[in-house]
Amino acid sequence: MSQRFIEFVVMHAQNAALFLGQIPNPKTGEGEVNLDLARMFIDQLAMIQEKTRGNLTSEEAKVLSNALSNLQMAYVEVARMEPGRRGEAAPEAVAQPEPPEAPLPHGAEQPPAAKPEPSAPISSTESETESRKKFTKSYGP
């Protein structure tokens, strides 16, 4: 079952990469960009990550986390390079990838972490679930 979950994640990641122009279209042989469809697949992976939190093996969690963070970074880069968007400032509210739940293998390098933006402390009466509801994602326009 674990292998099927990983295949599911990889399939969604490949679809997102296809729509980010990173994988050539099998029919045309050329990369094509469709940010709306890429975003849909990235958002679906983020939903899967949230809904399965605490229920995945370390390998499954690592594959999902790495795929999601790589796709989010690729999305931001492609969105910046889209015609009519060159030279614009980076989006202010880009979702930060969460750190992997499992440690990386010995010798593997972890990409440098982005500096988190300061946020107001969560009051003791405010639950974690309520706090998460206030968070919104934006991968660009």
Side-chain angles (χ1 to χ4, degrees), residues 44-56 64:
Q44 286 177 355
L45 285 172
M47 176 195 63
I48 295 296
Q49 184 180 47
E50 181 64 30
K51 294 293 186 177
T52 60
R53 189 175 313 280
N55 292 317
L56 300 177
L64 180 56

Side-chain angles (χ1 to χ4, degrees), residues 76-96:
V76 170
E77 287 301 314
V78 171
R80 285 183 185 157
M81 301 308 289
E82 276 297 283
R85 298 181 198 212
R86 294 180 194 269
E88 286 185 7
E92 291 180 22
V94 174
Q96 297 297 319

Side-chain angles (χ1 to χ4, degrees), residues 9 24-25 37-38 61 89 93 103-104 109 112 118 121 127:
V9 170
N25 181 321
L37 287 175
L104 294 174
E109 289 188 27
S127 71

Side-chain angles (χ1 to χ4, degrees), residues 10 16 27 38 40 42-43 64 68 83 93 96 103 116-117 135-136:
V10 169
K27 291 182 180 178
M40 180 190 75
I42 294 168
D43 287 346
L64 180 56
L68 190 53
Q96 297 297 319
E117 301 220 3
F135 177 76
T136 59

